[in-house]
Amino acid sequence: MSEANSETAADNSAAETSTAAAGAAERTRVLLAGILAAALSALAASRDWTAVNETGHAGITATTAQAGTDLASWALPCALAGGAAFLAMLATGNRARRVLGVVAALAGLATALGGALNLDAGAWPITMGAAALVLASAGAATTARAGRWPDSRDRYEAAPDKASAIAEDPVSLWNALDSGEDPSSPNITASAQEKGRS
């Protein structure tokens, strides 16, 4: 009976690990897409979008360029705000990621508006608008999906039964260190102290 229970527990543990790995992979893809889209949007916003040749009274021709920051002054700050939101997500928990996802989505939409209002200004505003839509989509996906992603702090919180198993065996303790688990976790420490008394 105990063997069947241990097999069921092992199957459940494997399923949880698989789900956590899939969630972590999705989180990585979304965060990476958001950061790259914000960087491309900011790059496009800072480029010259139009160039006009003007001839002065003396017959001298001068080229006047207008950058994205001249034609859509809010686009660059919004793109940078979206990028900052995604960078902050790398160090926050899932609740904060949901809020930051809303910020990134709104920043992406505002940046995309700057591109949409200047579509006739060349390729850069189109590039900015497309990248900004990806930024907005990544922000919306973060808000919608962050609850299913593993939290950054989860890797340091060992389950009590796992902590007990780690504390029983010094080799398991070293393996836990190698895998990034916190050996000073109250669960592991308490189990190790209990084993030392017995």
Side-chain angles (χ1 to χ4, degrees), residues 26-35 82 85-86 88-90 92-105 134-149:
E26 180 186 36
R27 177 187 63 199
T28 301
R29 285 192 303 270
V30 172
L31 297 184
L32 186 60
I35 291 169
F86 271 100
M89 289 179 204
L90 297 175
T92 59
N94 288 339
R95 288 182 184 172
R97 283 185 184 134
R98 286 180 172 172
V99 175
L100 291 169
V102 172
V103 172
V134 173
L135 172 61
S137 299
T142 299
T143 301
R145 303 282 299 171
R148 297 182 178 95
W149 295 346

Side-chain angles (χ1 to χ4, degrees), residues 33-190:
I35 291 169
L36 293 177
L40 182 56
S41 297
L43 174 68
S46 65
R47 296 290 158 192
D48 290 339
W49 287 3
T50 63
V52 178
N53 293 325
E54 297 178 352
T55 304
H57 295 296
I60 298 174
T61 302
T63 301
T64 303
Q66 286 186 307
T69 51
D70 298 325
L71 298 172
S73 58
W74 69 90
L76 180 59
C78 286
L80 292 175
F86 271 100
L87 288 174
M89 289 179 204
L90 297 175
T92 59
N94 288 339
R95 288 182 184 172
R97 283 185 184 134
R98 286 180 172 172
V99 175
L100 291 169
V102 172
V103 172
L106 293 175
L109 290 175
T111 306
L113 178 63
L117 294 175
N118 295 281
L119 290 177
D120 57 344
W124 282 117
I126 296 171
T127 303
M128 185 185 76
L133 288 176
V134 173
L135 172 61
S137 299
T142 299
T143 301
R145 303 282 299 171
R148 297 182 178 95
W149 295 346
D151 202 310
S152 303
R153 295 165 290 191
D154 287 348
R155 65 183 294 193
Y156 299 110
E157 295 176 4
D161 57 340
K162 184 177 179 184
S164 178
I166 289 172
E168 288 178 12
D169 182 20
V171 175
S172 297
L173 188 59
W174 282 108
N175 290 339
L177 281 169
D178 288 341
S179 66
E181 294 179 38
D182 185 2
S184 63
S185 164
N187 294 332
I188 294 175
T189 305

Side-chain angles (χ1 to χ4, degrees), residues 1-15:
M1 188 70 176
S2 62
E3 290 182 8
N5 288 340
S6 62
E7 285 179 8
T8 303
D11 290 344
N12 289 342
S13 176

